[in-house]
Amino acid sequence: MSRSLPAYITTPIYYVNDRPHIGHAYTTTLCDVWARAMRLDGRDVFFLTGTDEHGLKVEKSAKERGITPQALADENSAEFRKVMGLFGLTNDDFIRTTEPRHESQVKQFVEKLLASGDIYLGEFVGWYDEGQEEYITDTRAKELDYKSAISGKPLVRATEKNYYFRLSAYQARLEAFFAANPRFVRPAGRFNEVLGRVREGLQDVPVTRTNFTWGIGMPNAPEHVIYVWIDALFNYATALGLADGSSALAKDRARFWPPEYHVIGKEILWFHAVIWPALLMACDIAMPKCVYAHSFWISNGQKMSKSLGNFIDLPTIESYFAKYGLDAWRWYMATQGPIGTQDADFSPKHFHEVYTANLVNTFANCASRTSSMIEKYFAGAMPTADTSSMPTSNASGAPIWSAFTAHSASKTLQHYADFELAEAADTALSIVRSVDLLINETAPFKLAKDPANLPRVAQILAACAEGVRVAAVLLTPIMPTKCAEVLAAYGSPIEASDGMLAAARWGGLKAGTPIAKCAPFMRVDAPTT
Ligand code: MSP
């Protein structure tokens, strides 16, 4: 176990001009699963999320509502924070870009870049996506037929006297870095998109605006406001105090840099894969290890959008919590989401099928059958039996339980570490499937009718109970509450001092340990739509 090795993971910081919905919940839940898994492995984890509060969109929304941008930001940031609480998230900090600790450090970073000449004053004419507050290169604008890739609205030709970041100067260094780090952007398909665009040539990017005031003023030229994207990207560094290495914050947190994962949605990959690394190079800060860009949840084959009103919003999500429970929601997010390059359709029917197949019929059924039989035949105590060299099934060549679970446990942990959360879940669940197979093959409930068979029944049920326990340990990062319930019923809560692999080692459940009946997931009615 790699005790105390720092591990930093971040979500995007979310715009406060929107209400929390499935997209925000998704990214943040994935990060939470990873953070919990790494903590369970003994890593020194720092998990960051927060809100992005400056910019034209917030200024406009606040104006429409007749309140100050700060009041709007306070209200919606609080809403995000509250909502994140509902998802059982274990973030170590929640950063807001309007906080003094962030603003002062962004200014420090920008001052350094002005001094080094990486930021300079110049004039820019270019194609601008107003919805995204983003300039688009001429080539890209042409490809897009001069329309926004996101909203479809026409791009506008804009001229600005602005401060620029000398992105073009980092072309060669970025290309060399990308070549040396083929897993810097994942999935691989997304990296190829980025590399293709980089090869077209990098242009300097404006880092200030003069068309709004709601933002961080440029040091010595406050009529120029730092562009919201530049302000926002720095959150990953300001949360750790990196602008001033001698600050108390840096002393406490700088060890977490560089991040293991910046987890984001595909639409903001360019900022994270190209502009952010170049800014870091200019500030002489080490590169993040990986930018993981997942795809999008869609609804009945269509993009979720405000205008279509088909977002899976908070009230909808809460109806899933009420019917299936938070852990079932987390299971669905971790195993069925758009983690690859394909978008994933959110469907109530599919949710129900996955819940029933994986959680009711597999996980809960095994936990429940095993605990019931132990109650019936062994007075609710872990039977005494030697399972050390017992094979997982009657099939020839079947591995022995201890080797099978040890292998599955280290594979599960590796999948978590590699951000392959569905694979981690499936590997852990395969232990439960083996328990199921063992029960079906050996039918302990039939054997138990003859008292002479009790030693064999004891061995089978001891193996089943141990299998359920090991699986519950490994699934804890995804379903913390339900797994804790199973582990408590099986008399073996995870001790704080255990690492995941130690806790998952075969033989942890000692003979005589009381085992209570438990059924962590119940069958529920299928949805009508
Ligand atoms: N504020 C910027 C990010 C700055 S990071 C330095 C921003 N905010 S956002 O509120 O629009 O959030 C975007 C993120 O929300 C996406 O990158 C993704 O993580 C998540 N999602 C939003 N809609 C989504 C789906 N439909 N599906 C999955 N996740 C998506 O962009």
Side-chain angles (χ1 to χ4, degrees):
M1 185 182 31
S2 35
R3 193 164 284 283
S4 85
L5 190 63
Y8 183 27
I9 187 159
T10 67
T11 74
I13 48 171
Y14 303 113
Y15 284 132
V16 284
N17 58 338
D18 205 359
R19 298 254 140 214
H21 57 66
I22 187 173
H24 312 125
Y26 176 60
T27 316
T28 321
T29 300
L30 295 187
C31 291
D32 185 70
V33 169
W34 188 88
R36 284 177 186 263
M38 294 304 102
R39 279 192 208 109
L40 202 47
D41 185 36
R43 301 273 305 260
D44 181 16
V45 171
F46 197 82
F47 165 23
L48 180 70
T49 188
T51 41
D52 188 355
E53 309 191 357
H54 290 131
L56 191 57
K57 281 195 234 172
V58 176
E59 195 174 89
K60 274 188 184 163
S61 309
K63 206 168 177 189
E64 278 161 23
R65 284 190 44 198
I67 57 175
T68 63
Q70 187 65 58
L72 180 90
D74 287 348
E75 188 182 305
N76 284 1
S77 179
E79 173 77 3
F80 266 99
R81 204 188 276 249
K82 193 180 97 203
V83 167
M84 295 308 177
L86 298 176
F87 290 87
L89 304 172
T90 57
N91 51 298
D92 296 284
D93 197 356
F94 185 99
I95 193 163
R96 301 183 53 191
T97 54
T98 53
E99 287 174 281
R101 60 165 171 161
H102 173 77
E103 295 191 353
S104 63
Q105 289 188 72
V106 169
K107 284 190 173 164
Q108 281 174 272
F109 278 122
V110 168
E111 271 161 4
K112 275 188 214 168
L113 297 174
L114 277 166
S116 65
D118 283 295
I119 288 183
Y120 65 93
L121 189 63
E123 196 176 78
F124 183 80
V125 185
W127 293 106
Y128 189 63
D129 181 334
E130 287 183 311
Q132 293 300 104
E133 299 185 23
E134 183 189 359
Y135 275 95
I136 310 287
T137 63
D138 289 353
T139 329
R140 181 92 182 120
K142 194 171 173 198
E143 262 171 33
L144 294 171
D145 196 19
Y146 304 97
K147 292 194 182 90
S148 164
I150 310 294
S151 66
K153 292 195 184 136
L155 301 174
V156 296
R157 197 74 182 149
T159 310
E160 284 184 22
K161 193 155 185 80
N162 276 323
Y163 285 90
Y164 290 88
F165 172 55
R166 219 176 277 287
L167 181 62
S168 59
Y170 289 89
Q171 175 98 30
R173 268 182 76 183
L174 282 173
E175 287 191 74
F177 171 72
F178 293 152
N181 295 278
R183 279 164 69 83
F184 176 63
V185 173
R186 285 173 54 206
R190 295 272 172 244
F191 204 5
N192 289 335
E193 291 169 14
V194 170
L195 295 176
R197 268 183 77 183
V198 169
R199 268 183 232 116
E200 287 169 13
L202 297 173
Q203 298 173 5
D204 292 354
V205 287
V207 294
T208 58
R209 294 282 189 272
T210 45
N211 59 340
F212 68 100
T213 56
W214 179 236
I216 304 176
M218 193 66 180
N220 302 326
E223 69 282 13
H224 291 272
V225 176
I226 298 172
Y227 175 39
V228 62
W229 260 105
I230 301 299
D231 168 356
L233 284 167
F234 275 115
N235 91 87
Y236 305 128
T238 62
L240 305 187
L242 297 195
D244 175 6
S246 61
S247 65
L249 192 60
K251 286 211 171 84
D252 192 32
R253 295 183 173 178
R255 71 178 184 283
F256 291 108
W257 193 270
E260 210 105 334
Y261 291 103
H262 283 312
V263 185
I264 57 166
K266 61 181 178 181
E267 85 290 15
I268 56 176
L269 180 55
W270 184 254
F271 291 102
H272 285 82
V274 177
I275 296 178
W276 180 228
L279 282 170
L280 289 170
M281 282 174 181
C283 294
D284 210 14
I285 297 176
M287 289 295 109
K289 294 191 187 149
C290 179
V291 175
Y292 197 104
H294 62 67
S295 302
F296 269 25
W297 280 108
I298 53 174
S299 180
N300 295 322
Q302 272 185 308
K303 187 173 158 27
M304 292 187 197
S305 78
K306 270 189 212 162
S307 48
L308 290 173
N310 62 350
F311 259 114
I312 307 289
D313 58 6
L314 191 60
T316 311
I317 296 172
E318 284 181 315
S319 71
Y320 281 83
F321 288 177
K323 184 169 177 188
Y324 299 96
L326 169 62
D327 280 3
W329 170 268
R330 289 173 59 97
W331 176 266
Y332 194 72
M333 292 293 106
T335 65
Q336 309 295 322
I339 198 156
T341 48
Q342 298 285 316
D343 289 343
D345 205 28
F346 188 94
S347 109
K349 196 166 155 269
H350 186 234
F351 189 108
H352 185 82
E353 283 164 7
V354 169
Y355 173 79
T356 307
N358 293 343
L359 302 185
V360 179
N361 293 348
T362 308
F363 185 59
N365 185 40
C366 275
S368 153
R369 282 214 279 180
T370 302
S371 55
S372 305
M373 286 190 277
I374 289 178
E375 183 183 79
K376 193 161 170 193
Y377 309 127
F378 298 97
M382 174 72 170
T384 307
D386 184 2
T387 56
S388 57
S389 54
M390 184 181 169
T392 53
S393 101
N394 290 337
S396 71
I400 61 166
W401 274 106
S402 57
F404 168 65
T405 52
H407 178 70
S408 305
S410 60
K411 233 172 99 180
T412 303
L413 187 56
Q414 193 58 49
H415 283 312
Y416 277 127
D418 289 342
F419 218 75
E420 295 162 353
L421 306 186
E423 288 83 350
D426 191 62
T427 308
L429 202 66
S430 72
I431 299 174
V432 186
R433 285 194 213 102
S434 296
V435 168
D436 211 25
L437 184 69
L438 182 69
I439 297 178
N440 295 343
E441 259 183 358
T442 57
F445 39 89
K446 281 190 193 149
L447 290 176
K449 287 183 181 144
D450 180 351
N453 289 331
L454 276 186
R456 173 67 179 145
V457 176
Q459 196 195 31
I460 295 165
L461 293 181
C464 293
E466 186 60 357
V468 167
R469 183 193 73 82
V470 170
V473 168
L474 299 176
L475 293 171
T476 292
I478 302 177
M479 303 189 289
T481 309
K482 291 300 183 179
C483 290
E485 208 177 278
V486 171
L487 291 170
Y490 279 62
S492 17
I494 302 177
E495 300 296 334
S497 57
D498 287 340
M500 192 190 286
L501 290 183
R505 197 168 297 136
W506 191 258
L509 230 176
K510 299 286 173 254
T513 305
I515 293 185
K517 260 166 79 168
C518 81
F521 292 99
M522 300 305 217
R523 213 164 282 287
V524 295
D525 291 339
T528 45
T529 49

